[in-house]
Amino acid sequence: MRVLVIGSGAREHALLLALRRDPGVTELFCAPGNAGTARVAEQHPVDVADPEAVTAMARRLAADLVVIGPEVPLVLGVADAVRAAGIACFGPSRQAARIEGSKAFAKDVMAAAGVRTAHSEIVDSPANLDAALDRFGPHWVVKDDGLAAGKGVVVTEDRDAARRHAASLLEDGHPVLLESYLDGPEVSLFCLVDGETVVPLLPAQDAKRVGDGDTGPNTGGMGAYAPLPWAPEGMVEDLVENTVKPVAAELVRRGCGFSGLLYAGFALGAAGPAVVEFNCRFGDPETQSVLALLRTPLGELLHATATGSLAEHTDLEWAPGAAVTVVLAAENYPGKPRTGDVISGADDEGVLHAGTVARPEGTVVSAGGRVLSVVGTGADLAAAREDAYRRMAQVHLPGGHYRSDIAARAVAGEITVPGPR
C-alpha cells in the first residue's frame, strides 16, 4: 500500500513512523513535511489547504491511501476532493469536520445526542459582550468559535482578562464562545470512527499551558502521556458508549457521517464526565504518545476506516508500559516564535520534528513555535518520563524551552477523579 500523509508537524512524523512499522505499507510520502519526516518518507511540496492540489498529488503518486493530519484541510473539504477522485482517504468530510470547525455546530450536535457538555453562549457583537460575561463566572472560559490551533482559549478568574480576549476576537471578526467552567482532570480520547462504528485508542492526557504547574497561556500542547494510571475502571467504555457513539450516530442522522479520527476531550468532574471539545483529527502531542504504543498495523486500521470496513478491526494490540511526550518550543512561544536557530542533537528516532526545515548544507533550523516532540517509553509512566527527559537533555535549541513536569503529577499519584457530590 502506497500512503500519502498530508501535514508538517510532529503528529505527521508520528503517523509516518507508525505506518512504517506496518508490513503492508510499501511506500511512504509526506507533503509538505519537515526536516524529520524527510528521513522517513519521500517529500513533496503542496498547499495543504488546496483540495485540487492535494488530489492531483495523490493521483501523481498513485497513492492507495491519503491520510490528512491537520484540521484546516479537513474543514476546507480536502478529504471530499480526494474521495471524489476515487482514492481512499482517512479524514472526515467538510460537513463532518464542522465538529471542530464550528464550536456552535458541535454544541448543537451534542445537545441533540444528549451528551453532557459545558453551558455555552455565542457572542457575535461587542454590544452584547458585557451582559453575556455577567451570566458567567467566577471562572470565565472564552473561546474562538472557529479554528485557533488550541491557542484561542482563555480560562481565567479575571473578568477583565476574559473581556480583553473576547473583545480582541470580536475585533478580528471572530464570534466568541463563552462557556461554563468544567472541573476535574481532563482526558483525550482518540476514536477511529466509520459511520456508527467506533474503535477507541488508548486514553491520554495533554498539558496545554506553557509553564510548569499549568501556568501561563494556553498553547497547542506542551506534552502528553498515555495511558492514564489514575483512570477509573471502565472509563473508556463508558465514554465511548455514552458520548462518542451517540455523537457519531447523530452525525449519521444529519447526513454527514464521520469517517476518520474523532478526538473527544473530556473533563471528569464531580458531576460526571463532560465534553470539553471535539476535534476532527489526531491531536498533537497526544498522538506521539499513543502511536508509540500501538502494535496493530496502523496502515491497515486507517485504510479500513477510510473504506468502511472498520467493524472488522475492533481488537487492537498495544505494547505494555507507557509513553511520555515532551514538546520543545521556540523562544517566545506561544507568542510570535523566534525562528532560524540551529538545532543539534535531534537525530534520535525518539525526537519527532514539527517546526523544522533543513538548509541546503544539511543544517536543521527551527521554523515554528513547537519545534520538536521528544518521546520516551518505559515499563511504567515513571520510566517513560525518565526516558523522555534523558532524550530531551541531548537536544539543543538556542532560546528553546519545555516543561519539566509532564506526567509528574500522574507518577506521584496526585491525580484523582472526584466522586459524586
Side-chain angles (χ1 to χ4, degrees):
M1 180 164 52
R2 297 164 64 87
V3 183
L4 168 62
V5 175
I6 301 297
S8 59
R11 164 185 49 218
E12 287 73 36
H13 197 164
L15 284 164
L16 289 164
L17 290 174
L19 287 164
R20 189 174 65 175
R21 297 195 297 268
D22 184 338
V25 174
T26 54
E27 296 285 345
L28 277 175
F29 309 96
C30 187
N34 58 48
T37 59
R39 301 168 186 165
V40 186
E42 183 179 302
Q43 301 218 143
H44 297 269
V46 75
D47 178 356
V48 301
D50 185 335
E52 289 74 24
V54 173
T55 303
M57 172 171 292
R59 279 182 169 142
R60 186 169 67 253
L61 297 174
D64 299 301
L65 174 67
V66 175
V67 178
I68 301 177
E71 63 274 23
V72 170
L74 293 168
V75 169
L76 295 176
V78 171
D80 303 79
V82 172
R83 275 193 284 269
I87 302 168
C89 185
F90 182 85
S93 67
R94 180 175 187 161
Q95 291 300 309
R98 288 182 296 164
I99 197 79
E100 178 172 2
S102 168
K103 293 178 179 65
F105 174 78
K107 292 288 185 181
D108 188 56
V109 168
M110 284 186 272
V115 167
R116 184 170 177 266
T117 186
H119 166 69
S120 65
E121 186 174 332
I122 293 286
V123 180
D124 57 10
S125 168
N128 302 327
L129 177 57
D130 285 303
L133 286 169
D134 289 342
R135 291 189 282 273
F136 290 81
H139 288 88
W140 282 269
V141 181
V142 184
K143 297 182 177 181
D144 187 328
D145 183 50
L147 297 178
K151 292 178 284 187
V153 182
V154 163
V155 180
T156 180
E157 297 178 38
D158 184 337
R159 187 186 186 281
D160 290 339
R163 190 187 191 285
R164 283 194 300 273
H165 183 58
S168 69
L169 292 173
L170 291 168
E171 186 176 342
D172 290 338
H174 296 223
V176 168
L177 184 79
L178 299 180
E179 284 189 338
S180 57
Y181 177 73
L182 296 173
D183 66 329
E186 292 193 6
V187 172
S188 297
L189 183 62
F190 295 174
C191 294
L192 299 170
V193 177
D194 163 18
E196 294 192 43
T197 301
V198 176
V199 177
L201 306 185
L202 287 180
Q205 186 181 64
D206 72 335
K208 295 182 176 65
R209 292 187 182 269
V210 71
D212 283 3
D214 292 323
T215 58
N218 271 351
T219 70
M222 293 298 292
Y225 64 94
L228 310 179
W230 48 265
E233 185 176 353
M235 178 193 74
V236 170
E237 293 80 4
D238 174 63
L239 297 178
V240 168
E241 290 298 323
N242 296 315
T243 301
V244 184
K245 283 187 175 180
V247 165
E250 175 61 19
L251 291 172
V252 169
R253 189 190 71 78
R254 293 179 180 222
C256 55
F258 197 96
S259 173
L261 194 290
L262 186 59
Y263 168 127
F266 294 93
L268 305 184
V275 174
V276 176
E277 64 179 349
F278 277 106
N279 291 333
C280 64
R281 39 71 196 186
F282 279 100
D284 184 333
E286 299 99 320
T287 298
Q288 292 88 295
S289 291
V290 171
L291 292 187
L293 299 172
L294 180 67
R295 283 185 171 170
T296 303
L298 181 63
E300 179 181 300
L301 281 175
L302 302 188
H303 190 267
T305 306
T307 55
S309 59
L310 180 61
E312 302 169 15
H313 301 267
T314 56
D315 295 324
L316 307 187
E317 184 182 359
W318 298 94
V324 172
T325 299
V326 182
V327 171
L328 177 63
E331 183 175 333
N332 199 42
Y333 178 81
K336 184 178 180 180
R338 192 174 88 183
T339 59
D341 288 305
V342 175
I343 304 162
S344 60
D347 296 329
D348 188 309
E349 186 153 300
V351 178
L352 308 187
H353 289 233
T356 66
V357 295
R359 288 176 173 164
E361 75 277 8
T363 306
V364 176
V365 300
S366 60
R370 292 188 296 173
V371 180
L372 302 167
S373 286
V374 177
V375 182
T377 56
D380 56 22
L381 202 56
R385 177 177 147 77
E386 182 179 340
D387 187 44
Y389 282 104
R390 176 186 61 78
R391 294 173 189 267
M392 181 64 85
Q394 300 168 7
V395 180
H396 180 66
L397 170 67
H401 60 96
Y402 58 90
R403 284 183 57 163
S404 66
D405 63 346
I406 302 301
R409 292 187 63 229
V411 169
E414 297 174 357
I415 299 178
T416 57
V417 178
R421 290 193 181 99

